[in-house]
Amino acid sequence: MVRGISNMSQLMAPQGPQSFETREDFTMERAKWKKSLLLLALVIPLLFVLSFPQTSSAQLPFHVNGNFFFQAGGKFLMNDRANEPFTDFFSGSTGTEPADNTAGWYVGMGIDMPLWELPWGDVIVGTINIDVGHFDQADKTFLTAQGLPSLTAPGRGQDLKQQGGLTTMGIMVHPKWRIAALSTEVNGKLIQPWIIPFGFEVQAFAPPTAGMNIFDVGSIFGVGVDMVLTKRLVVGIDNRWHVGTGQTRVDTLNTTVGGYVGIRF
């Protein structure tokens, strides 16, 4: 009986020091995890740097080389920018011609840097790409001197006209996967299909949206084919999909279809 009371008194004794030690151990463990995460954040980018070939471009296998390219083609919006304040002055209610053109053009440039050649022959390159697109729209007459819309009255509102058009710009960073199993030769020219499995993109639009925001962030996916004409000259075609996250409160989904000319190094 005495032993039982003694055991109960031990269980009911204050656990302050032990609790403090447990809390201290937890704090130290959390600090270790923070250091580990910080170390990973510093080391992972270095892996990409170290993965670049340690030889000159002349020593690289022909199908691995990097590429500096210029591109152009058609750009297509999945949704127009009609009935907005800065594109057509709310065409749905004012009667101005709507900014509903969804077909435009783009030009751009980029660079492919070789990252890895996989054991089965596929090649992964890292790409940095910038393009600028444009969609023609009709010129708009906005406000008269009295502050009212003027669509047909002669001589009124001419001092507050806006040139129509929507301009876009995209900055993209993504891997490009050259698929060896689908590569072939046609008349001595190497054909290399590739895909963009994922990527990061910042898009800018002008005029801005109703919320005065011009930037959207999102991802990019695509497919394409390189045709290597000579050891240094390559041409190709591609189709890319640009998916925004809605930061502008406007659906910015768009696609590009075009061609490019590149110089391998």
Side-chain angles (χ1 to χ4, degrees), residues 75-78 81 129-133 135 166-173 199-209 213-221 240-248 250-256:
K75 192 177 184 75
F76 306 93
L77 295 173
M78 297 299 105
R81 294 285 305 276
N129 189 195
I130 301 175
D131 70 18
V132 175
F135 301 84
L166 172 67
T167 301
T168 68
M169 184 179 72
I171 302 176
M172 296 145 276
V173 179
F200 175 77
E201 178 176 18
V202 176
Q203 298 186 77
F205 298 84
T209 62
N213 189 3
I214 66 171
F215 292 107
D216 196 10
V217 296
S219 189
I220 176 175
F221 309 91
R240 303 170 190 241
W241 286 85
H242 309 262
V243 183
T245 56
Q247 303 298 313
T248 60
V250 171
D251 189 350
T252 58
L253 176 64
N254 66 88
T255 183
T256 57

Side-chain angles (χ1 to χ4, degrees), residues 31-96:
K32 290 180 181 179
W33 274 105
K34 286 184 177 180
K35 290 181 180 179
S36 299
L37 291 174
L38 179 59
L39 182 61
L40 284 175
L42 294 174
V43 169
I44 288 176
L46 292 177
L47 295 178
F48 286 90
V49 174
L50 295 175
S51 64
F52 279 87
Q54 302 300 311
T55 57
S56 67
S57 60
Q59 295 173 304
L60 287 172
F62 176 64
H63 59 284
V64 177
N65 286 7
N67 186 34
F68 182 77
F69 59 89
F70 297 92
Q71 57 187 164
K75 192 177 184 75
F76 306 93
L77 295 173
M78 297 299 105
N79 296 277
D80 61 43
R81 294 285 305 276
N83 201 32
E84 293 183 24
F86 300 110
T87 56
D88 58 15
F89 193 55
F90 295 116
S91 59
S93 57
T94 61
T96 58

Side-chain angles (χ1 to χ4, degrees), residues 79-83 88 97-103 136-137 140:
N79 296 277
D80 61 43
R81 294 285 305 276
N83 201 32
D88 58 15
E97 187 173 348
D100 56 1
N101 182 20
T102 58
D136 289 328
Q137 309 288 353
K140 305 296 187 301

